[in-house]
Amino acid sequence: MIITVKAARVNKGLSQQEVANQMGLSLRAYQRKENGEVRIYADEIVALGRLFGIPVQNFFESQCRKKTRNTA
């Protein structure tokens, strides 16, 4: 099941400020990550998974994509 960071946070009952504090980020920095304005790095996804109590795989699409045909 794919879940957004925001949905995972809301499901856990945490505010953006609480998550920002746990992550060592300013509120605005966390908001920008949650809203997709800036990149969330792999180590941050791992920390968020632990904080929200969900597997990190839930943040990613797990289907394999078809290999594109080599046109060269």
Side-chain angles (χ1 to χ4, degrees), residues 68-72:
T68 57
R69 195 174 88 196
N70 187 356
T71 58

Side-chain angles (χ1 to χ4, degrees), residues 3-6 8-9 12 14 19 22-23 30 40-60:
I3 189 167
T4 64
V5 172
K6 180 177 181 176
R9 176 184 59 76
K12 190 68 175 179
L14 297 171
V19 176
Q22 290 289 322
M23 299 289 295
Y30 175 75
I40 300 177
Y41 294 99
D43 61 326
E44 294 171 328
I45 288 290
V46 170
L48 289 170
R50 287 185 187 137
L51 181 61
F52 300 148
I54 62 171
V56 295
Q57 294 86 345
N58 288 18
F59 293 117
F60 300 101

Side-chain angles (χ1 to χ4, degrees), residues 6-66:
K6 180 177 181 176
R9 176 184 59 76
V10 170
N11 287 343
K12 190 68 175 179
L14 297 171
S15 70
Q16 287 181 326
Q17 185 66 63
E18 290 170 319
V19 176
N21 291 345
Q22 290 289 322
M23 299 289 295
L25 299 169
S26 69
L27 174 60
R28 183 65 186 133
Y30 175 75
Q31 288 171 329
R32 293 182 72 206
K33 288 178 182 284
E34 185 178 278
N35 293 330
E37 296 171 30
V38 297
R39 180 179 303 168
I40 300 177
Y41 294 99
D43 61 326
E44 294 171 328
I45 288 290
V46 170
L48 289 170
R50 287 185 187 137
L51 181 61
F52 300 148
I54 62 171
V56 295
Q57 294 86 345
N58 288 18
F59 293 117
F60 300 101
E61 192 174 331
S62 61
Q63 296 176 338
C64 293
R65 300 187 196 280
K66 280 187 172 181

